[in-house]
Amino acid sequence: MPDFDADRKFKQDVLRMAGPEVQTCIQCGTCSASCPTAHLMNPSIRKLIKYCLEGRKEEALKNDTIWLCTSCLLCTVRCPRGIRPKSVVAALKDIAEREGIKSKDA
């Protein structure tokens, strides 16, 4: 059974760390299209943001996408809404590390 309180807390943690503007994401995909390592990512940065906004902690944290970000900031520079997808990735890395979740290559 879904734990709606945990889902809500996860979403709020991500928004607190990455910024409330993440809620304005229109899922246009510009972040993913700009990413030089997008072809290696599953899920894409766009989907990662969607998972966070939906409170889908498991999907957001247990993947390699958060570990593949090169911090080039192209996603941030090109976002039409002024969202900082890199900040979302950084927040997810912090949460994952706090919870002992590591990259498969760690």
Side-chain angles (χ1 to χ4, degrees):
M1 211 157 116
D3 185 346
F4 295 112
D5 287 335
D7 293 346
R8 194 173 15 254
K9 183 185 180 320
F10 169 70
K11 177 181 175 180
Q12 293 308 316
D13 283 349
V14 172
L15 292 175
R16 180 179 48 77
M17 291 188 270
E21 67 275 3
V22 174
Q23 295 177 95
T24 68
C25 178
I26 56 173
Q27 291 290 297
C28 67
T30 300
C31 54
S32 295
S34 301
C35 181
T37 57
H39 65 285
L40 301 172
M41 296 179 173
N42 186 20
S44 66
I45 296 293
R46 179 193 64 79
K47 280 188 181 176
L48 204 59
I49 292 171
K50 184 175 190 214
Y51 292 159
C52 292
L53 293 174
E54 293 174 348
R56 295 166 60 183
K57 182 177 180 178
E58 187 86 11
E59 291 98 331
L61 293 178
K62 295 193 175 173
N63 62 69
D64 289 331
T65 296
I66 61 176
W67 310 110
L68 293 171
C69 176
T70 63
S71 302
C72 71
L73 300 177
L74 286 174
C75 56
T76 297
V77 170
R78 295 182 177 158
C79 178
R81 302 293 260 189
I83 296 168
R84 297 168 300 151
K86 166 60 180 113
S87 296
V88 174
V89 171
L92 292 174
K93 279 183 182 179
D94 286 349
I95 294 168
E97 288 172 351
R98 251 191 343 240
E99 296 192 7
I101 299 168
K102 296 180 180 168
S103 155
K104 68 179 180 187
D105 296 325

